[in-house]
Amino acid sequence: VTCAKGLWRSFKRSLICETSLVDGKVAAVWGCGGTLLGQVGQPWMLTSGEIKKLSPIRVARFYTKQVDKMLEMFPRLENYVAVEHNDAIRLLTIAGFKIGEPEKFGQGMFRKFEMER
């Protein structure tokens, strides 16, 4: 799947979709997939180089608030993050997600992240 197709699918399948701009350029897009009557939400986030212009503390505070909004809709959040995305794993940890051990998923190595209300 191309990046553009993956992003389109994420937006299309999400109940929450947001975009953050820095100096008029996209810094991050994120959302949460799932079904209206479902119990599990699948949070996702993609960032560009523009995110580096923001303080990591500011990004962490903002993302934690977004996770709180997701938890208002779903009692459980879970998804996977690629093992090489150390900044994303750090952000997920700060936001309160439990990070699992690396495991093969599709053609790569990923770590499951999860949180419950």
Side-chain angles (χ1 to χ4, degrees):
V1 175
T2 65
C3 288
K5 191 173 224 173
L7 180 58
W8 172 247
R9 283 182 184 173
S10 294
F11 261 84
K12 190 172 152 182
R13 296 176 181 172
S14 293
L15 298 173
I16 299 171
C17 294
E18 301 284 344
T19 302
S20 179
L21 303 176
V22 173
D23 299 329
K25 296 178 183 173
V26 174
V29 290
W30 68 93
C32 189
T35 62
L36 287 174
L37 299 176
Q39 298 295 305
V40 180
Q42 296 89 30
W44 58 272
M45 181 181 205
L46 298 169
T47 61
S48 74
E50 298 299 313
I51 200 83
K52 299 287 185 185
K53 294 180 179 178
L54 299 174
S55 154
I57 294 169
R58 183 175 175 194
V59 172
R61 284 183 183 151
F62 181 80
Y63 185 68
T64 299
K65 288 178 185 176
Q66 298 304 306
V67 170
D68 290 342
K69 288 180 185 179
M70 294 175 199
L71 285 169
E72 289 175 9
M73 293 182 70
F74 299 101
R76 180 173 177 76
L77 301 174
E78 64 181 44
N79 211 336
Y80 289 84
V81 60
V83 296
E84 64 269 14
H85 292 306
N86 293 321
D87 289 344
I89 293 168
R90 189 175 309 112
L91 180 60
L92 291 165
T93 301
I94 291 168
F97 284 94
K98 177 185 170 194
I99 310 295
E101 294 299 317
E103 57 184 275
K104 188 158 178 62
F105 185 75
Q107 301 209 359
M109 294 297 291
F110 292 82
R111 296 177 78 167
K112 185 175 185 177
F113 61 93
E114 54 193 332
M115 178 189 296
E116 291 188 22
R117 265 192 242 158

